[in-house]
Amino acid sequence: MSDADIPPEARFALGGVRIGTGTGNMGSTSWGGPNGEQGKAPLMNTPGINARPTAQMVFKALLRVAPDLPVEILHQKVVDGLFDTGKNLIDYPTEKVDGKRFAILGYGNIGREVARLAKAFGMQVVICARAKHKESILQKGYGYAESPAVAASGADVMSVHLGLGRYDGSKNKFDNADLVDQSVMSALNDNAVLINYDRGELVNIKALEEALSSGKIRHAAIDADIFAGVDGPTGPLVPYLSLLPKHAGKLALLPHAAADTDHPTRVAGSKLAVDQIMDAIRTSTVSNLKGELPEGYDARRSETNSEFATYEDLVGELREVSESLLRLLDVLEAASEHDKRSGIIDQNLALLECIDVERHSLLRAKGLLPTLGKVSTPAGG
Protein backbone atom coordinates (compact mmCIF):
# COMPACT_ATOMS: atom_id res chain seq x y z
CA MET A 1 0.00 0.00 0.00
CA SER A 2 1.31 3.45 -0.84
CA ASP A 3 1.62 6.75 0.99
CA ALA A 4 -1.30 7.94 -1.15
CA ASP A 5 -3.78 5.56 0.51
CA ILE A 6 -7.11 6.83 1.71
CA PRO A 7 -7.16 5.78 5.39
CA PRO A 8 -10.06 3.72 6.76
CA GLU A 9 -11.06 6.49 9.15
CA ALA A 10 -11.77 8.89 6.27
CA ARG A 11 -15.51 9.29 5.71
CA PHE A 12 -17.23 9.78 2.35
CA ALA A 13 -20.88 9.15 3.00
CA LEU A 14 -21.99 9.62 -0.61
CA GLY A 15 -19.46 7.33 -2.26
CA GLY A 16 -16.04 7.38 -3.87
CA VAL A 17 -14.66 7.22 -7.39
CA ARG A 18 -11.16 6.15 -8.36
CA ILE A 19 -10.14 7.93 -11.58
CA GLY A 20 -8.62 4.93 -13.29
CA THR A 21 -9.09 1.26 -12.59
CA GLY A 22 -7.36 -0.01 -9.45
CA THR A 23 -9.03 0.70 -6.11
CA GLY A 24 -6.28 -0.69 -3.88
CA ASN A 25 -5.64 2.69 -2.27
CA MET A 26 -9.32 3.46 -1.69
CA GLY A 27 -9.30 2.27 1.90
CA SER A 28 -12.25 4.11 3.44
CA THR A 29 -14.67 1.97 5.42
CA SER A 30 -17.43 4.15 3.94
CA TRP A 31 -17.53 1.66 1.08
CA GLY A 32 -15.97 -1.28 2.89
CA GLY A 33 -12.32 -0.76 2.00
CA PRO A 34 -10.60 -1.30 -1.36
CA ASN A 35 -12.87 -4.22 -2.28
CA GLY A 36 -16.09 -2.23 -1.85
CA GLU A 37 -17.59 -4.83 0.47
CA GLN A 38 -20.40 -4.19 3.00
CA GLY A 39 -20.02 -0.43 2.91
CA LYS A 40 -22.84 2.09 3.17
CA ALA A 41 -21.61 4.11 0.19
CA PRO A 42 -20.75 2.86 -3.33
CA LEU A 43 -17.20 2.51 -4.62
CA MET A 44 -16.73 3.23 -8.33
CA ASN A 45 -13.95 3.65 -10.87
CA THR A 46 -13.50 4.97 -14.42
CA PRO A 47 -12.10 2.06 -16.47
CA GLY A 48 -11.00 2.63 -20.04
CA ILE A 49 -9.84 6.23 -19.62
CA ASN A 50 -6.16 5.36 -20.00
CA ALA A 51 -6.35 2.01 -21.78
CA ARG A 52 -5.03 3.09 -25.16
CA PRO A 53 -2.13 5.23 -23.86
CA THR A 54 -1.01 2.38 -21.60
CA ALA A 55 -1.12 -0.13 -24.45
CA GLN A 56 0.95 2.20 -26.62
CA MET A 57 3.54 2.51 -23.86
CA VAL A 58 3.69 -1.28 -23.60
CA PHE A 59 4.78 -1.39 -27.20
CA LYS A 60 7.20 1.46 -26.71
CA ALA A 61 8.82 -0.68 -24.01
CA LEU A 62 8.92 -3.72 -26.28
CA LEU A 63 10.28 -1.87 -29.30
CA ARG A 64 13.21 -0.60 -27.25
CA VAL A 65 14.64 -4.12 -27.38
CA ALA A 66 12.79 -5.95 -30.17
CA PRO A 67 13.49 -5.94 -33.04
CA ASP A 68 16.97 -6.01 -31.54
CA LEU A 69 18.60 -3.42 -33.80
CA PRO A 70 21.00 -1.17 -31.81
CA VAL A 71 19.57 2.09 -33.13
CA GLU A 72 21.68 4.39 -30.94
CA ILE A 73 24.93 2.64 -31.89
CA LEU A 74 24.16 2.72 -35.60
CA HIS A 75 23.13 6.36 -35.41
CA GLN A 76 26.45 7.29 -33.83
CA LYS A 77 28.41 5.28 -36.38
CA VAL A 78 26.61 7.12 -39.18
CA VAL A 79 27.29 10.49 -37.54
CA ASP A 80 30.96 9.59 -37.06
CA GLY A 81 31.29 8.36 -40.66
CA LEU A 82 32.13 4.83 -39.53
CA PHE A 83 29.44 2.85 -41.32
CA ASP A 84 29.32 1.47 -44.83
CA THR A 85 25.99 -0.15 -45.65
CA GLY A 86 27.50 -2.45 -48.24
CA LYS A 87 30.20 -3.75 -45.90
CA ASN A 88 28.92 -3.40 -42.35
CA LEU A 89 25.19 -4.12 -42.44
CA ILE A 90 25.79 -7.87 -42.35
CA ASP A 91 27.21 -7.43 -38.84
CA TYR A 92 23.82 -6.32 -37.49
CA PRO A 93 21.23 -9.03 -38.10
CA THR A 94 17.89 -8.41 -36.39
CA GLU A 95 15.25 -10.68 -34.95
CA LYS A 96 11.80 -9.35 -35.77
CA VAL A 97 8.70 -9.48 -33.56
CA ASP A 98 6.28 -10.81 -36.18
CA GLY A 99 5.52 -14.46 -35.57
CA LYS A 100 6.63 -14.25 -31.95
CA ARG A 101 4.31 -15.44 -29.20
CA PHE A 102 2.91 -12.62 -27.07
CA ALA A 103 1.29 -13.68 -23.78
CA ILE A 104 -1.15 -11.26 -22.16
CA LEU A 105 -2.40 -11.76 -18.63
CA GLY A 106 -5.82 -10.16 -18.31
CA TYR A 107 -8.51 -9.15 -20.79
CA GLY A 108 -9.77 -5.85 -19.46
CA ASN A 109 -9.66 -2.59 -21.39
CA ILE A 110 -5.85 -2.43 -21.47
CA GLY A 111 -5.40 -6.12 -22.21
CA ARG A 112 -7.71 -5.78 -25.21
CA GLU A 113 -5.79 -2.79 -26.55
CA VAL A 114 -2.45 -4.58 -26.15
CA ALA A 115 -3.85 -7.64 -27.94
CA ARG A 116 -4.95 -5.52 -30.91
CA LEU A 117 -1.53 -3.92 -31.23
CA ALA A 118 0.26 -7.26 -30.95
CA LYS A 119 -1.98 -8.69 -33.66
CA ALA A 120 -1.24 -5.68 -35.87
CA PHE A 121 2.47 -6.45 -35.49
CA GLY A 122 1.83 -9.99 -36.73
CA MET A 123 2.45 -11.62 -33.38
CA GLN A 124 0.79 -14.79 -32.10
CA VAL A 125 -1.38 -13.58 -29.23
CA VAL A 126 -2.43 -15.80 -26.34
CA ILE A 127 -4.51 -14.41 -23.48
CA CYS A 128 -5.03 -15.66 -19.95
CA ALA A 129 -8.40 -14.48 -18.69
CA ARG A 130 -11.49 -15.64 -16.89
CA ALA A 131 -13.45 -18.37 -18.62
CA LYS A 132 -16.31 -15.99 -19.44
CA HIS A 133 -14.01 -14.23 -21.94
CA LYS A 134 -12.89 -17.42 -23.71
CA GLU A 135 -15.42 -17.31 -26.55
CA SER A 136 -14.75 -13.65 -27.31
CA ILE A 137 -10.97 -14.21 -27.25
CA LEU A 138 -11.17 -17.14 -29.65
CA GLN A 139 -13.55 -15.31 -31.98
CA LYS A 140 -11.01 -12.54 -32.40
CA GLY A 141 -8.36 -15.03 -33.47
CA TYR A 142 -6.35 -15.06 -30.23
CA GLY A 143 -5.30 -18.08 -28.27
CA TYR A 144 -6.85 -18.72 -24.87
CA ALA A 145 -4.99 -19.93 -21.78
CA GLU A 146 -6.59 -21.01 -18.54
CA SER A 147 -3.62 -20.05 -16.36
CA PRO A 148 -0.64 -17.64 -16.43
CA ALA A 149 1.81 -20.54 -16.75
CA VAL A 150 -0.03 -21.94 -19.77
CA ALA A 151 -0.08 -18.49 -21.40
CA ALA A 152 3.65 -18.11 -20.72
CA SER A 153 4.53 -21.47 -22.24
CA GLY A 154 6.80 -20.76 -25.21
CA ALA A 155 6.08 -17.02 -25.10
CA ASP A 156 8.71 -14.50 -26.22
CA VAL A 157 6.92 -11.55 -24.61
CA MET A 158 4.62 -11.34 -21.60
CA SER A 159 2.60 -8.29 -20.59
CA VAL A 160 0.63 -8.17 -17.34
CA HIS A 161 -2.77 -6.43 -17.10
CA LEU A 162 -4.67 -8.18 -14.31
CA GLY A 163 -4.85 -5.66 -11.52
CA LEU A 164 -4.14 -6.50 -7.91
CA GLY A 165 -7.39 -8.36 -7.37
CA ARG A 166 -9.18 -8.58 -4.06
CA TYR A 167 -7.45 -7.37 -0.91
CA ASP A 168 -7.21 -10.03 1.81
CA GLY A 169 -7.06 -8.19 5.13
CA SER A 170 -6.14 -11.33 7.11
CA LYS A 171 -2.99 -11.76 5.01
CA ASN A 172 -2.42 -8.05 4.33
CA LYS A 173 -2.04 -9.05 0.71
CA PHE A 174 -3.81 -8.73 -2.64
CA ASP A 175 -4.92 -11.94 -4.33
CA ASN A 176 -2.79 -11.37 -7.44
CA ALA A 177 0.39 -10.32 -5.64
CA ASP A 178 3.41 -12.41 -6.77
CA LEU A 179 1.23 -14.06 -9.42
CA VAL A 180 4.06 -13.88 -11.97
CA ASP A 181 6.32 -16.25 -10.08
CA GLN A 182 9.02 -18.79 -10.88
CA SER A 183 6.56 -21.26 -12.41
CA VAL A 184 5.31 -18.60 -14.84
CA MET A 185 8.72 -17.18 -15.76
CA SER A 186 10.28 -20.61 -16.28
CA ALA A 187 7.61 -21.37 -18.89
CA LEU A 188 8.70 -18.43 -21.07
CA ASN A 189 11.11 -18.88 -23.94
CA ASP A 190 14.73 -18.09 -23.17
CA ASN A 191 15.60 -14.41 -23.67
CA ALA A 192 11.99 -13.36 -23.21
CA VAL A 193 10.76 -9.82 -22.47
CA LEU A 194 8.58 -9.17 -19.42
CA ILE A 195 6.46 -6.02 -19.24
CA ASN A 196 4.54 -5.10 -16.10
CA TYR A 197 2.82 -1.78 -16.70
CA ASP A 198 0.10 -2.75 -14.25
CA ARG A 199 0.97 -3.07 -10.56
CA GLY A 200 4.47 -3.70 -9.23
CA GLU A 201 3.29 -6.28 -6.70
CA LEU A 202 2.19 -8.70 -9.42
CA VAL A 203 5.75 -9.88 -10.10
CA ASN A 204 7.72 -11.95 -7.60
CA ILE A 205 11.03 -10.10 -7.20
CA LYS A 206 13.11 -13.13 -6.24
CA ALA A 207 11.85 -15.09 -9.24
CA LEU A 208 12.56 -12.12 -11.52
CA GLU A 209 16.14 -11.86 -10.20
CA GLU A 210 16.69 -15.53 -10.93
CA ALA A 211 15.19 -15.23 -14.41
CA LEU A 212 17.37 -12.22 -15.24
CA SER A 213 20.47 -14.03 -13.97
CA SER A 214 19.78 -17.20 -15.95
CA GLY A 215 18.92 -15.39 -19.18
CA LYS A 216 15.36 -16.65 -19.13
CA ILE A 217 14.34 -12.97 -19.21
CA ARG A 218 16.64 -10.62 -21.10
CA HIS A 219 14.71 -7.43 -20.42
CA ALA A 220 12.05 -6.36 -17.92
CA ALA A 221 10.09 -3.12 -18.13
CA ILE A 222 8.27 -2.20 -14.91
CA ASP A 223 5.93 0.72 -14.20
CA ALA A 224 4.86 1.17 -10.58
CA ASP A 225 4.28 3.78 -7.89
CA ILE A 226 7.24 5.21 -6.00
CA PHE A 227 7.06 7.92 -3.35
CA ALA A 228 9.63 10.06 -1.57
CA GLY A 229 9.64 9.14 2.11
CA VAL A 230 11.48 10.54 5.11
CA ASP A 231 13.55 7.37 5.40
CA GLY A 232 13.89 6.82 1.67
CA PRO A 233 11.59 5.90 -1.20
CA THR A 234 8.48 3.80 -0.60
CA GLY A 235 6.00 2.06 -2.88
CA PRO A 236 5.79 -1.09 -5.00
CA LEU A 237 8.59 0.00 -7.35
CA VAL A 238 11.16 0.04 -4.53
CA PRO A 239 11.86 -3.76 -4.48
CA TYR A 240 12.91 -3.57 -8.13
CA LEU A 241 15.66 -1.10 -7.22
CA SER A 242 17.49 -3.96 -5.47
CA LEU A 243 17.99 -5.58 -8.89
CA LEU A 244 19.83 -2.62 -10.38
CA PRO A 245 23.37 -3.29 -9.10
CA LYS A 246 23.46 -6.60 -10.96
CA HIS A 247 20.95 -6.13 -13.76
CA ALA A 248 20.84 -2.41 -14.54
CA GLY A 249 21.20 -2.99 -18.28
CA LYS A 250 18.24 -5.36 -18.32
CA LEU A 251 15.74 -3.18 -16.47
CA ALA A 252 13.64 -0.18 -17.47
CA LEU A 253 11.82 1.31 -14.47
CA LEU A 254 9.06 3.91 -14.71
CA PRO A 255 7.31 5.73 -11.79
CA HIS A 256 3.81 4.61 -12.81
CA ALA A 257 3.87 7.00 -15.75
CA ALA A 258 2.78 4.61 -18.52
CA ALA A 259 -0.90 5.35 -17.98
CA ASP A 260 -0.31 9.08 -17.64
CA THR A 261 -2.51 10.76 -20.20
CA ASP A 262 -2.78 14.15 -21.82
CA HIS A 263 -4.77 16.99 -20.28
CA PRO A 264 -8.03 16.42 -22.22
CA THR A 265 -8.09 12.78 -21.15
CA ARG A 266 -7.49 13.71 -17.53
CA VAL A 267 -10.33 16.20 -17.75
CA ALA A 268 -12.60 13.56 -19.29
CA GLY A 269 -11.79 11.15 -16.46
CA SER A 270 -12.45 13.82 -13.83
CA LYS A 271 -15.76 14.81 -15.43
CA LEU A 272 -16.82 11.18 -15.56
CA ALA A 273 -16.01 10.77 -11.87
CA VAL A 274 -18.00 13.89 -10.96
CA ASP A 275 -20.94 12.71 -13.07
CA GLN A 276 -20.91 9.36 -11.29
CA ILE A 277 -20.93 10.97 -7.86
CA MET A 278 -23.73 13.35 -8.88
CA ASP A 279 -25.79 10.45 -10.20
CA ALA A 280 -25.28 8.62 -6.91
CA ILE A 281 -26.43 11.71 -4.98
CA ARG A 282 -29.37 12.70 -7.18
CA THR A 283 -30.80 9.42 -8.39
CA SER A 284 -29.02 6.74 -6.30
CA THR A 285 -27.73 5.14 -9.48
CA VAL A 286 -24.22 3.73 -9.65
CA SER A 287 -21.99 3.29 -12.70
CA ASN A 288 -18.79 1.23 -12.82
CA LEU A 289 -19.45 -0.33 -9.43
CA LYS A 290 -16.52 -1.97 -7.64
CA GLY A 291 -17.56 -4.61 -5.15
CA GLU A 292 -21.01 -4.76 -3.61
CA LEU A 293 -23.95 -2.48 -4.30
CA PRO A 294 -25.00 -0.79 -1.04
CA GLU A 295 -28.64 -0.85 0.01
CA GLY A 296 -30.71 1.92 -1.54
CA TYR A 297 -28.71 2.19 -4.78
CA ASP A 298 -29.31 0.83 -8.26
CA ALA A 299 -26.53 -0.28 -10.60
CA ARG A 300 -26.57 0.55 -14.27
CA ARG A 301 -24.48 -0.22 -17.29
CA SER A 302 -21.01 1.30 -17.51
CA GLU A 303 -20.78 4.72 -19.14
CA THR A 304 -17.01 4.94 -19.57
CA ASN A 305 -15.23 5.23 -22.86
CA SER A 306 -14.52 1.52 -22.79
CA GLU A 307 -15.68 -0.80 -25.53
CA PHE A 308 -18.92 -1.44 -23.63
CA ALA A 309 -19.93 2.20 -23.65
CA THR A 310 -18.87 3.62 -27.00
CA TYR A 311 -18.60 2.42 -30.56
CA GLU A 312 -14.97 3.49 -30.98
CA ASP A 313 -13.68 -0.06 -30.75
CA LEU A 314 -16.49 -1.35 -32.97
CA VAL A 315 -15.48 1.08 -35.70
CA GLY A 316 -11.85 -0.04 -35.45
CA GLU A 317 -12.76 -3.71 -35.62
CA LEU A 318 -15.12 -3.18 -38.55
CA ARG A 319 -12.39 -1.26 -40.34
CA GLU A 320 -9.99 -4.18 -39.78
CA VAL A 321 -12.51 -6.65 -41.20
CA SER A 322 -13.28 -4.36 -44.14
CA GLU A 323 -9.61 -3.94 -44.97
CA SER A 324 -9.30 -7.69 -45.41
CA LEU A 325 -12.15 -7.56 -47.90
CA LEU A 326 -10.62 -4.57 -49.73
CA ARG A 327 -7.31 -6.38 -50.14
CA LEU A 328 -9.12 -9.30 -51.74
CA LEU A 329 -11.03 -6.94 -54.05
CA ASP A 330 -7.73 -5.35 -55.11
CA VAL A 331 -6.43 -8.78 -56.10
CA LEU A 332 -9.60 -9.49 -58.06
CA GLU A 333 -9.41 -6.15 -59.84
CA ALA A 334 -5.82 -6.81 -60.84
CA ALA A 335 -6.72 -10.18 -62.35
CA SER A 336 -7.21 -9.69 -66.07
CA GLU A 337 -9.07 -12.85 -66.96
CA HIS A 338 -12.45 -14.14 -65.80
CA ASP A 339 -11.08 -17.61 -65.05
CA LYS A 340 -8.38 -16.16 -62.83
CA ARG A 341 -10.96 -14.18 -60.88
CA SER A 342 -13.12 -17.28 -60.42
CA GLY A 343 -10.11 -19.20 -59.15
CA ILE A 344 -9.24 -16.43 -56.68
CA ILE A 345 -12.80 -16.42 -55.34
CA ASP A 346 -12.79 -20.22 -54.99
CA GLN A 347 -9.51 -20.08 -53.08
CA ASN A 348 -10.84 -17.41 -50.72
CA LEU A 349 -14.37 -18.63 -50.04
CA ALA A 350 -13.48 -19.44 -46.45
CA LEU A 351 -12.07 -15.95 -45.98
CA LEU A 352 -15.19 -14.33 -47.44
CA GLU A 353 -17.42 -16.39 -45.16
CA CYS A 354 -15.28 -15.51 -42.15
CA ILE A 355 -15.42 -11.79 -42.99
CA ASP A 356 -19.21 -11.91 -43.31
CA VAL A 357 -19.67 -13.83 -40.05
CA GLU A 358 -17.33 -11.56 -38.11
CA ARG A 359 -18.96 -8.39 -39.47
CA HIS A 360 -22.41 -9.57 -38.45
CA SER A 361 -21.14 -10.76 -35.06
CA LEU A 362 -19.63 -7.35 -34.32
CA LEU A 363 -22.80 -5.50 -35.25
CA ARG A 364 -25.04 -7.93 -33.40
CA ALA A 365 -22.91 -7.69 -30.25
CA LYS A 366 -23.63 -3.95 -30.15
CA GLY A 367 -27.34 -4.50 -30.68
CA LEU A 368 -27.21 -3.04 -34.20
CA LEU A 369 -28.56 -6.20 -35.80
CA PRO A 370 -31.41 -8.39 -34.57
CA THR A 371 -30.52 -11.71 -33.00
CA LEU A 372 -30.94 -14.48 -35.55
CA GLY A 373 -33.91 -16.71 -34.94
CA LYS A 374 -36.52 -18.68 -36.75
CA VAL A 375 -38.51 -16.73 -39.28
CA SER A 376 -42.20 -17.43 -39.00
CA THR A 377 -43.96 -18.53 -42.17
CA PRO A 378 -47.40 -17.03 -42.89
CA ALA A 379 -50.26 -19.45 -42.85
CA GLY A 380 -50.66 -21.06 -46.21
CA GLY A 381 -47.21 -19.80 -47.32
Side-chain angles (χ1 to χ4, degrees):
M1 303 292 282
S2 74
D3 290 342
D5 293 341
I6 294 177
E9 59 270 18
R11 291 289 179 264
F12 304 93
L14 300 174
V17 183
R18 167 69 157 84
I19 301 177
T21 303
T23 56
N25 63 349
M26 302 287 284
S28 172
T29 51
S30 300
W31 44 75
N35 299 323
E37 296 173 334
Q38 300 180 354
K40 295 183 178 180
L43 176 60
M44 298 166 276
N45 65 354
T46 60
I49 290 296
N50 53 15
R52 190 153 295 165
T54 305
Q56 292 170 357
M57 288 297 292
V58 165
F59 266 81
K60 184 172 184 177
L62 175 59
L63 294 174
R64 287 185 64 183
V65 294
D68 54 349
L69 192 68
V71 177
E72 292 82 4
I73 294 174
L74 294 179
H75 165 77
Q76 195 59 48
K77 284 183 176 291
V78 169
V79 171
D80 295 339
L82 300 176
F83 202 93
D84 183 303
T85 301
K87 297 177 181 178
N88 304 127
L89 196 58
I90 194 173
D91 298 327
Y92 294 91
T94 61
E95 187 176 11
K96 307 297 189 292
V97 297
D98 51 294
K100 299 293 185 182
R101 182 178 170 99
F102 195 124
I104 300 171
L105 304 187
Y107 197 56
N109 292 302
I110 299 174
R112 290 183 177 94
E113 291 290 345
V114 173
R116 292 189 189 102
L117 290 176
K119 184 178 180 181
F121 273 86
M123 305 183 78
Q124 299 176 14
V125 180
V126 60
I127 299 170
C128 173
R130 285 173 287 187
K132 68 178 184 179
H133 296 303
K134 181 176 180 178
E135 183 177 354
S136 174
I137 289 169
L138 295 176
Q139 284 181 348
K140 295 183 187 306
Y142 309 135
Y144 176 80
E146 63 273 14
S147 72
V150 172
S153 180
D156 304 286
V157 183
M158 172 174 279
S159 192
V160 187
H161 304 285
L162 285 166
L164 286 170
R166 184 182 177 279
Y167 179 70
D168 188 338
S170 64
K171 298 179 180 178
N172 192 29
K173 183 177 179 290
F174 289 94
D175 285 346
N176 289 339
D178 292 327
L179 185 71
V180 183
D181 57 11
Q182 193 275 339
S183 66
V184 175
M185 295 185 207
S186 63
L188 294 166
N189 273 347
D190 291 342
N191 298 312
V193 175
L194 172 65
I195 302 171
N196 177 18
Y197 279 11
D198 188 346
R199 295 293 185 270
E201 299 94 327
L202 296 174
V203 173
N204 182 282
I205 302 299
K206 182 180 178 181
L208 177 58
E209 197 283 327
E210 293 173 355
L212 290 169
S213 297
S214 68
K216 174 60 70 172
I217 291 177
R218 63 185 170 106
H219 181 77
I222 312 297
D223 181 65
D225 286 320
I226 188 167
F227 306 95
V230 175
D231 299 319
T234 64
L237 188 61
V238 171
Y240 293 91
L241 300 179
S242 66
L243 305 178
L244 289 175
K246 187 177 178 180
H247 303 292
K250 300 178 182 178
L251 285 171
L253 305 181
L254 290 180
H256 213 50
D260 197 27
T261 54
D262 57 6
H263 180 68
T265 308
R266 284 177 173 271
V267 171
S270 300
K271 289 176 66 177
L272 179 59
V274 171
D275 287 344
Q276 289 176 207
I277 286 291
M278 294 304 294
D279 285 344
I281 295 172
R282 291 172 175 170
T283 63
S284 297
T285 55
V286 177
S287 301
N288 301 316
L289 176 69
K290 291 292 292 183
E292 299 174 356
L293 183 69
E295 185 177 352
Y297 290 90
D298 293 317
R300 69 181 181 191
R301 189 177 177 180
S302 165
E303 292 190 0
T304 71
N305 65 342
S306 69
E307 71 171 351
F308 299 108
T310 74
Y311 294 106
E312 181 179 353
D313 293 320
L314 172 64
V315 171
E317 291 175 343
L318 284 173
R319 182 180 293 111
E320 185 177 332
V321 173
S322 299
E323 286 172 352
S324 298
L325 180 59
L326 287 173
R327 285 193 292 271
L328 179 56
L329 292 175
D330 287 341
V331 173
L332 287 170
E333 188 176 10
S336 57
E337 300 175 12
H338 179 271
D339 290 343
K340 288 184 178 179
R341 290 177 178 174
S342 297
I344 292 170
I345 292 174
D346 290 341
Q347 292 172 10
N348 290 276
L349 279 177
L351 174 62
L352 287 168
E353 292 175 358
C354 185
I355 289 172
D356 190 52
V357 170
E358 186 169 358
R359 181 173 59 85
H360 279 77
S361 296
L362 289 169
L363 292 171
R364 193 173 296 113
K366 293 294 184 183
L368 300 178
L369 285 180
T371 303
L372 291 178
K374 293 183 179 180
V375 179
S376 58
T377 303

